Amino acid sequence: MNIAVTFRHMNATEAVKGYATEKVARMQRFLREPMKGQVTLSCQHERLHSVEVDIHAGQAHFHAHETSEDMYTSIDKVADKIERQILSAKDSVTGKKKGGERASERLLSEIGGGRNQ
């Protein structure tokens, strides 16, 4: 796991860097492949704090961007977005496999039930 943090238009602090790294590192538990993450933290107009996250894991790529008046809130929101994207992608892959089995079982039961009646 490799996570790079970039600061733009603001002073770099270890507290914010550590918090962002910790939040993004948690995404590894949902992924099978080792991930590489890029976190960009920036301040716009001295009031808006923006966070942009890119995660690459094997063939998968996830990207999210969030802006708010508090840097920690922005980090939390973007981490939630990335987590939803990862889980959605994971569910769509497993859902196709399981859904196909259920559809075929349902079809067989309908065909079999129609013959007995």
Side-chain angles (χ1 to χ4, degrees):
M1 174 174 44
N2 182 10
I3 300 172
V5 180
T6 304
F7 290 88
R8 291 192 180 146
H9 310 294
M10 62 181 291
N11 294 329
T13 63
E14 285 299 318
V16 173
K17 182 178 179 180
Y19 188 75
T21 303
E22 177 187 331
K23 284 289 192 173
V24 173
R26 289 182 184 178
M27 301 306 137
Q28 181 62 57
R29 65 183 172 179
F30 301 115
L31 301 167
R32 291 184 180 192
E33 302 280 331
M35 74 174 208
K36 292 182 182 179
Q38 173 64 44
V39 181
T40 304
L41 308 169
S42 63
C43 186
Q44 303 167 354
H45 306 292
E46 297 181 18
R47 293 181 60 211
L48 294 177
H49 299 275
S50 178
V51 179
E52 187 174 346
V53 176
D54 283 316
I55 292 180
H56 297 275
Q59 297 294 325
H61 176 247
F62 304 99
H63 174 81
H65 181 267
E66 189 64 44
T67 302
S68 73
E69 292 184 3
D70 181 43
M71 182 60 74
Y72 291 99
T73 303
S74 296
I75 293 169
D76 289 338
K77 286 182 179 181
V78 81
D80 290 341
K81 280 185 178 181
I82 291 286
E83 183 176 336
R84 280 193 306 268
Q85 288 179 13
I86 292 170
L87 293 177
S88 176
K90 192 173 182 180
D91 287 344
S92 70
V93 169
T94 58
K96 288 178 185 175
K97 292 177 184 175
K98 292 180 182 177
E101 292 172 3
R102 286 189 216 131
S104 63
E105 289 173 3
R106 188 176 26 203
L107 182 63
L108 289 174
S109 68
E110 288 175 7
I111 293 172
R115 290 183 182 171
N116 292 335
Q117 292 178 350

